Amino acid sequence: MIQNLANLSDKELVGRAQRRDAPAFGVLVERYELQLLRLCSALTSDPEAAQELAQTTWAKAFEAIGHLREGERFFGWLRQIAVNQLRDGFKRRRLAQVQFDEALHDSPDESPTPEGSVLRGEQQAEISRALRALSEHDRHMLALRFAQELSYREIAQELGTTEGTVATWLYRAKERLRKALDEGKGGQV
């Protein structure tokens, strides 16, 4: 049965899921779980928070699947749920617990030398810090472009705007990220 479901289009699976067909929704989860997790990772800059945000998003999507409009792309709708979950307080609850030092602790097996492990951890911590310093809008734009690898045209379609506006927003987000990274480097002794 699941194998037969795997051959269905997203539209067909959504229709079944809207009739509370849990296996059909399960196929949608299988199709998009990695893509959603990459998005959540880009939005949160923390693996545990990303996993929790993804799980919360899937639960909310299952509850709200009846609200998905005909013709709307499933992943675009799912992406918006993730962003809304983050905006509606998830970020405050979970990310407040994230410690800056956590990024410095890599397992020894991940790096050939202790120096390499510390350097990589410091770089990850610096990038995470810089991303947290950005506005939610900037992080969202960067996640769409770089984590989701969407084109300017696809981002414009998702957000209901023009490619020129997307280009401007991305340019500004990248500039603010560069500035945040530079400020982090300037603060080191």
Side-chain angles (χ1 to χ4, degrees):
M1 176 79 171
I2 298 260
Q3 232 170 7
N4 292 339
L5 289 175
N7 296 326
L8 297 177
S9 69
D10 284 359
K11 182 179 178 180
E12 293 168 313
L13 290 168
V14 165
R16 285 174 165 240
Q18 287 177 329
R19 293 186 301 277
R20 293 299 183 211
D21 182 340
F25 189 80
V27 173
L28 288 167
V29 171
E30 288 175 12
R31 280 187 189 170
Y32 293 103
E33 66 185 334
L34 292 177
Q35 202 173 351
L36 179 63
L37 189 56
R38 280 195 305 268
L39 172 68
C40 292
S41 294
L43 290 172
T44 63
S45 303
D46 174 56
E48 288 179 32
Q51 189 69 256
E52 192 172 332
L53 177 58
Q55 289 173 356
T56 304
T57 300
W58 283 119
K60 184 70 172 175
F62 186 72
E63 285 176 22
I65 191 80
H67 298 290
L68 178 60
R69 294 184 305 265
E70 189 172 334
E72 189 173 3
R73 289 180 39 203
F74 178 75
F75 191 75
W77 176 76
L78 189 66
R79 177 186 302 118
Q80 193 58 51
I81 290 174
V83 169
N84 289 343
Q85 288 295 106
L86 190 65
R87 184 179 297 134
D88 291 343
F90 178 85
K91 181 180 176 182
R92 286 187 299 271
R93 286 194 320 270
R94 177 65 185 102
L95 294 183
Q97 299 171 13
V98 175
Q99 299 295 321
F100 178 77
D101 296 339
E102 287 177 349
L104 297 176
H105 299 291
D106 290 334
S107 70
D109 297 336
E110 292 179 355
S111 178
T113 67
E115 295 85 5
S117 179
V118 169
L119 180 60
R120 187 173 57 251
E122 289 172 353
Q123 290 169 338
Q124 289 171 346
E126 184 61 27
I127 291 169
S128 292
R129 185 207 57 77
L131 285 169
R132 284 192 302 270
L134 297 178
S135 70
E136 183 178 325
H137 180 264
D138 286 348
R139 281 193 311 274
H140 187 212
M141 292 303 299
L142 294 170
L144 291 173
R145 179 70 177 135
F146 299 106
Q148 294 297 305
E149 299 178 351
L150 296 181
S151 69
Y152 283 36
R153 174 174 283 151
E154 291 169 320
I155 295 170
Q157 289 171 344
E158 289 292 327
L159 300 179
T161 191
T162 66
E163 289 181 56
T165 300
V166 168
T168 300
W169 287 345
L170 279 168
Y171 174 80
R172 291 176 182 163
K174 289 186 284 188
E175 285 300 307
R176 285 188 277 265
L177 179 60
R178 277 189 203 101
K179 183 178 178 185
L181 287 168
D182 288 344
E183 287 172 1
K185 290 177 185 175
Q188 294 177 354
V189 178

